[in-house]
Amino acid sequence: MSSASAPPPLPLNASGHLPVGDGHEIWWEESGTPDGVPVLYLHGGPGSGLSPGYRRSAPSDRCRIVGLSQRGAGASTPSAGAPGPVDLGANTTAHLVADIEALREHLGIDAWIVEGVSWGSTLALAYAQAHPDRVLGVVLFAVTSTSRREVDWITEGIGSVFPEAWDRFAGFAETHGDFDRRDTSPARVRLVEAYRRLLLGDDPDLVDAAAEAWMTWEDEHIRIGTGSTEIATPPADLTDEQRRERRTFARLVTHYWAHDGFVADWAARWGGVPGAGLLGGMGRLAGVPGVLIHGRRDVSGPAVTAWELHRAWPGSELVIIEDEGHGGPRMVEQWRAAVARLAATAGTPQAPEQ
């Protein structure tokens, strides 16, 4: 659906900030039908924040649609994109999962359908594995599990597809940071770690330059399968708000990716194998309906991740869209249809007694 023909976003029924500890307050909002089937939307990035279009991902006449900006992102405070040094020590996947539970309790919801886009699919899986009894179903779009294999591919391996852009991307970290592409030792500094350090540095001009280098690289490799044939270039001019948004995104992405999404040992929490990541905990979702939607042309996140998760998830459905990448209109159609199917069969759960 083109932006010209897209319906206006749904109005909000309620919104606010919820204190979740460590000095953080997360922004949340509701739309749709207040007594409908609860549906939770988890945005990508990490660091993208909410955009109004997500409110159209579920049937508004049957669903209570909830969105939140994850710690440090969007309207949540404090912002990870604030000028000067920031502390991301209390920003991990475990913190985000706890925030989701705090929001569920705050809103009086017993269980909900959870939908996640890109990084949001990693967070959705982490939450569902931690609280399977609170999940009516899961819909994943542009599926990721943020394993080291995926992170190393999207930051280094994919350079074989975009060698010119990657040379500029890696060259910035070699000139200004501690990355060395010639170093192949196990102790080498990964490119994502070099950028993480640059983005948390004390020099504001270098931080912004690193954010621009990161975002230009993101824009380049994400465009395949979206219909864009233009090589990504840095924008000529940015407002202070745009710079803050780009710092937010780049800082949170590199923070999470440099730590392999903080999920490498997630399965070990449930008696699984340490280091197995989310894949090792998929058995906990047996009986939870799930739909995984992925584009065959998603070179940023090859379809093998969605395939492996699907095979390890009893009863899940895998939908591969052959001619789209990290998003596209047919993927969006499948996403909305999957949420509608789950909502139709979930019923409306009752709020727990207070």
Side-chain angles (χ1 to χ4, degrees):
M1 180 179 293
S2 69
S3 57
S5 61
L10 293 174
L12 294 179
N13 299 329
S15 61
H17 281 100
L18 176 66
V20 289
D22 310 302
H24 285 270
E25 294 189 3
I26 59 169
W27 172 259
W28 62 271
E29 52 188 47
E30 277 194 37
S31 57
T33 302
D35 60 352
V37 178
V39 177
L40 171 69
Y41 171 80
L42 299 174
H43 66 69
S48 296
L50 292 175
S51 57
Y54 85 88
R55 302 175 204 159
R56 294 287 179 185
S57 64
S60 60
D61 60 337
R62 288 187 283 129
C63 293
R64 177 185 181 184
I65 306 163
V66 179
L68 78 154
S69 288
Q70 296 154 30
R71 288 193 181 203
S76 293
T77 60
S79 171
V86 296
D87 181 5
L88 300 180
N91 205 319
T92 70
T93 300
H95 286 99
L96 302 188
V97 167
D99 293 349
I100 294 170
E101 266 298 271
L103 179 60
R104 182 189 63 76
E105 293 176 353
H106 175 71
L107 297 178
I109 293 171
D110 182 56
W112 41 16
I113 295 168
V114 180
E115 50 176 346
V117 173
S118 192
W119 153 258
S121 61
T122 292
L123 182 55
L125 288 172
Y127 175 79
Q129 289 183 14
H131 303 283
D133 56 328
R134 298 302 184 182
V135 177
L136 300 170
V138 179
V139 178
L140 308 180
F141 180 102
V143 183
T144 71
S145 70
T146 318
S147 64
R148 174 156 297 208
R149 179 189 70 189
E150 293 167 83
V151 172
D152 284 348
W153 167 257
I154 200 171
T155 55
E156 300 190 37
I158 199 176
S160 61
V161 182
F162 302 98
E164 312 97 318
W166 190 83
D167 183 66
R168 294 188 293 271
F169 178 55
F172 183 93
E174 287 181 314
T175 301
H176 301 284
D178 45 14
F179 178 67
D180 183 354
R181 73 182 79 190
R182 298 166 301 177
D183 186 357
T184 59
S185 70
R188 75 184 182 95
V189 175
R190 300 162 71 202
L191 182 53
V192 67
E193 172 62 17
Y195 267 94
R196 185 192 72 84
R197 296 175 186 180
L198 285 168
L199 287 156
L200 293 177
D202 296 327
D203 182 340
D205 292 333
L206 183 55
V207 168
D208 282 350
E212 283 308 298
W214 182 274
M215 296 303 297
T216 300
W217 168 247
E218 286 261 359
D219 291 343
E220 175 65 6
H221 68 70
I222 213 74
R223 67 185 174 88
I224 298 295
T226 64
S228 173
T229 58
E230 296 183 5
I231 296 174
T233 56
D237 197 15
L238 293 171
T239 66
D240 288 343
E241 177 60 20
Q242 287 172 325
R243 292 188 186 282
R244 184 191 68 80
E245 290 173 353
R246 292 166 88 80
R247 283 194 301 269
T248 297
F249 186 95
R251 278 175 173 165
L252 286 174
V253 167
T254 54
H255 171 66
Y256 274 82
W257 286 6
H259 292 94
D260 301 327
F262 297 96
V263 293
D265 291 328
W266 200 256
R269 297 167 178 245
W270 334 118
V273 178
L278 295 174
L279 186 62
M282 296 307 292
R284 283 180 61 83
L285 302 188
V288 176
V291 182
L292 301 88
I293 302 163
H294 205 79
R296 181 77 71 193
R297 298 185 183 183
D298 191 343
V299 296
S300 305
V304 64
T305 295
W307 170 248
E308 289 175 343
L309 292 169
H310 162 62
R311 292 188 67 185
W313 187 350
S316 66
E317 176 188 355
L318 176 63
V319 179
I320 297 289
I321 304 300
E322 295 293 336
D323 59 350
E324 293 183 352
H326 202 69
R330 292 181 59 206
M331 290 175 66
V332 171
E333 289 175 4
Q334 291 289 333
W335 173 24
R336 291 172 175 165
V339 175
R341 289 198 307 272
L342 290 178
T345 58
T348 306
Q350 300 299 311
E353 294 183 4
Q354 302 295 319

